[in-house]
Amino acid sequence: MATTFMKYLETTPADYDRGIKIITLGQIQGIQERIAEFVQPGDRVLEIGCGTGSLALLCAKRGAKVVGIDTSPPMLAEAQKKVKAAGMEHRIELRLMDATTIADHSEPASFDLIVSTLVLSELEENTLEYVLEACGRLLKPEGRLLVADEVVPDGLLARLLFYLVRLPLALITWLITRTSTTALHGFPQKLALAGFKGRVVTSRLGGSLQLFSARPATAPRAISAPEVPRLRHRVTLWTLLKDLYCLLWRNIPPYPKVRTGLYRIGEPDCSSPVLVTGNYDLTVRRVVRELDGQVDAWLLVANSKGINVWCGAGGGHFTAENIIAAIKTSGLADVVDHRRLTLPQLCANGVKGKRIEQETGWRVRWGPCYARDIPAYLERGQRKTDAMRWVRFPLPARLEMAVVMWQFWAVLLAVILIIVRRPLVIPALLSSLAMFLFIGITWPWWPTRDGLLQGVGLALLSIALLAGWSITVGHLSPRPLFNWCVALGSLGLFAGADFQGASPFMRAGEAEHFWKLVPIGLLILAVYLFLPRTLGW
C-alpha cells in the first residue's frame, strides 16, 4: 500500500480513479462499496475529501443526500462531471472547502454519516484532532464516522514490507510533486481522545489499508486554546547543524519542520500583531532571528509541507486553506482582540487573501519580502516602503542556492558514475560544482535571464576552456577530448537551465525546460554514440 503516490495522481484528476485503483491493487473500490453499505435511504452524508466523487455517487445511489467537500478545484470539477453524467445533481452537493471549516458551514447534529477515504492521513496532528472533534459535533447522536486510510501495519514483517513498497513510490512522488503523505499512527487512540468509540471494520493489503467505524461515545469536548510556547533565537551546535542540513539537503525529504500552531515572540498581548509563515524549520528560525528582542508579536505557523513560503505557495503546497486551518486549530482568536493577519509578500503567488477573509473574517495584509524588514514595517504602522517590496538576489543568496541546486543532482550523478565509471566521480562532482558556482557568481552579468540560454553559453564556455587546455597543456587525443567535451557541455547546459529554478526573477526552470532538455539530451546522446564511429575514432 503506497497512497503517497496519490499526490501525483491528484495533479491529473481524469486519471485519479484508475491510478488509485492500481496502486491499492483494486482494494479501494471494495472499501468504498463497504462504506456505502452503511448508508440508509434518507441519510445525510458528509464526505471529507470527496475527490472525483466516486464514493459520493455510491452513497447517493443508495438514497442518501451527500455533501462532498474538497480543497482541489480540478478534483471537484471532475466530480461535478461525474455527478452530472449520473443525473445525481439533486442528491449531491459539492463544495470547495477545507476540513477545518466544516463546523462553520453546517448545523450541529445534522449528519447521519461522515465518511472519508485517504484524506485524514494528510492532516497534521493538531488539525486531525480538530477535525475529529468537529465531526463529533456534526454527527447525530446515533451517527457514524467511517474512515478508510493508510496506516502503519502491526507486526515486524508487515511493517517491513509496507516500507519496502512505500519508499520507492514516495521518492517518485517527491521527484514529481515535491511532496508526499504520511500513514496514520495510533488512530484508534486519536478517535478515543476525540470522544469516539471505534473499531476496525475491515483490513486490506497486509493491514496497511483499514476501514474504521466510530460512534460518538461521549459529548464532544470543547476546544480550548493551548498554552502558547515562546520562540527564542539561540545559536547552538544543534542549530548550526540544522542550518548545514538545510543548506545541503533542503531539496530532499524529510524536510525539517516546525510543529504548526501559534507561538510567542517576545511578550505579546491581545493587541500585538499576528505574523504568518510556513512550517519549514529554516524559515521559522530565520524569522525568529530577525524578530526576537526587536518586537512583541504572535507567530502563526501554518502547514507549508516543510517548504519555504515562496516555493510552497508557488507549488500549491502553501495555500489559503492551510492558513485557514492554522487559524481554526491554533486558538488564535482566544489570545488577540483584533482580526488582522500579516502574511509574507512572497506567498502572494499562491495564497488567496480574499478567501481567508471570507472564510474566517480575518483581514489579510501583505508584509515585506524579507523578515529583516518586519521590525521597521511594524514600527511604520504596518506600511511598506518601496524597498520592502522588492526581491533581491545578492551574491550570498546566489552562492547558497548554487550549492543547494548542485548537491541534489550531485548525489544522483555520483550514484550513476559509481556504477558505470567510478574514476570519474570526483572530477564530475568538482566540475559540476564549479559550474553551479560560476553561474551563481556571474548571474547578474549574463545578457539573458533564460536559464536554458545561460546553459548553452556555459556549455560552450566549458568546451572552449577544455579545448584550450588540451591544446596548450593536456594534449588529449581526439576521442578523449570529444568525450570530455560532451560531458562538460552536458553538465554546463544542465547547470544553467537548472539554476533558473533558484532565481527569484523567472519561473522555475525544471518545468519550463524539461521538454526542451529531453530532445537536446537525445541529440547529444546520438552525437556521442555515432559521431566517433563516423569519424573512425
Side-chain angles (χ1 to χ4, degrees), residues 182-195:
T182 57
L184 288 173
H185 291 265
F187 189 62
Q189 291 78 14
K190 293 180 174 64
L191 284 172
L193 287 174

Side-chain angles (χ1 to χ4, degrees), residues 221-485:
R221 58 190 176 91
I223 299 176
S224 58
E227 182 180 351
V228 182
R230 180 177 178 179
L231 296 178
R232 292 181 171 88
H233 173 59
R234 295 287 186 270
V235 178
T236 65
L237 177 61
W238 176 239
T239 62
L240 292 174
L241 289 175
K242 285 204 291 186
D243 283 341
L244 181 62
Y245 177 87
C246 290
L247 173 63
L248 296 178
W249 300 99
R250 70 172 64 175
N251 282 343
I252 301 177
Y255 306 119
K257 303 176 185 178
V258 172
R259 182 180 174 86
T260 59
L262 187 64
Y263 296 88
R264 293 182 296 130
I265 298 178
E267 296 295 340
D269 56 27
C270 60
S271 61
S272 297
V274 179
L275 309 173
V276 180
T277 191
N279 68 333
Y280 178 42
D281 182 88
L282 185 62
T283 296
V284 173
R285 286 190 291 110
R286 286 184 173 178
V287 169
V288 174
R289 180 186 66 190
E290 301 297 338
L291 302 186
D292 193 22
Q294 301 293 319
V295 300
D296 297 317
W298 303 99
L299 184 65
L300 182 65
V301 177
N303 185 15
S304 63
K305 310 298 190 296
I307 304 172
N308 68 76
V309 293
W310 193 355
C311 295
H317 310 304
F318 187 50
T319 64
E321 284 71 24
N322 298 124
I323 296 173
I324 292 170
I327 294 171
K328 295 288 184 180
T329 61
S330 64
L332 175 62
D334 297 325
V335 299
V336 294
D337 57 11
H338 61 83
R339 293 297 181 268
R340 298 183 300 275
L341 302 173
T342 299
L343 275 61
Q345 178 179 303
L346 292 182
C347 74
N349 59 335
V351 174
K352 297 178 181 179
K354 288 296 183 182
R355 179 164 177 78
I356 296 173
E357 294 178 351
Q358 292 169 357
E359 288 287 340
T360 67
W362 287 76
R363 181 182 175 188
V364 170
R365 295 178 175 176
W366 301 102
C369 288
Y370 298 101
R372 61 176 174 268
D373 292 326
I374 293 177
Y377 165 77
L378 295 177
E379 187 176 346
R380 289 173 51 86
Q382 299 191 34
R383 296 194 305 274
K384 290 186 288 188
T385 64
D386 287 340
M388 294 178 185
R389 303 176 188 274
W390 288 97
V391 176
R392 296 176 288 278
F393 200 30
L395 179 60
R398 299 200 303 271
L399 292 178
E400 178 181 346
M401 293 311 302
V403 174
V404 169
M405 302 300 284
W406 167 78
Q407 56 80 27
F408 172 70
W409 300 112
V411 173
L412 297 182
L413 181 62
V415 170
I416 294 171
L417 290 178
I418 287 173
I419 296 173
V420 301
R421 194 68 65 86
R422 186 170 299 181
L424 296 182
V425 173
I426 299 302
L429 293 182
L430 292 178
S431 297
S432 60
L433 176 60
M435 289 178 179
F436 272 99
L437 291 175
F438 178 81
I439 202 76
I441 293 171
T442 62
W443 184 84
W445 297 283
W446 283 82
T448 177
R449 289 292 176 260
D450 187 288
L452 186 59
L453 294 179
Q454 290 180 348
V456 171
L458 184 57
L460 294 175
L461 177 61
S462 302
I463 292 172
L465 291 175
L466 176 63
W469 174 84
S470 177
I471 293 172
T472 58
V473 179
H475 305 295
L476 295 175
S477 59
R479 182 57 190 266
L481 177 61
F482 172 76
N483 291 344
W484 275 106
C485 285

Side-chain angles (χ1 to χ4, degrees), residues 1-6 9 16 19-29 31 117-119 121 148-153 158-170 180-184 203-211:
M1 175 59 176
T3 56
T4 180
F5 199 57
M6 75 181 185
L9 297 174
Y16 179 84
I20 206 70
K21 182 177 180 180
I22 292 173
I23 66 175
T24 61
L25 304 180
Q27 297 300 312
I28 193 62
Q29 184 175 351
I31 290 282
T117 58
L118 306 179
V119 172
S121 58
D149 221 313
E150 183 182 27
V151 301
V152 178
R159 190 168 298 184
L160 178 61
L161 180 61
F162 170 78
Y163 284 115
L164 285 176
V165 173
R166 194 179 205 279
L167 290 178
L169 285 178
S180 187
T181 63
T182 57
L184 288 173
S203 180
R204 311 282 179 92
L205 298 176
S208 65
L209 178 61
Q210 295 185 1
L211 171 60

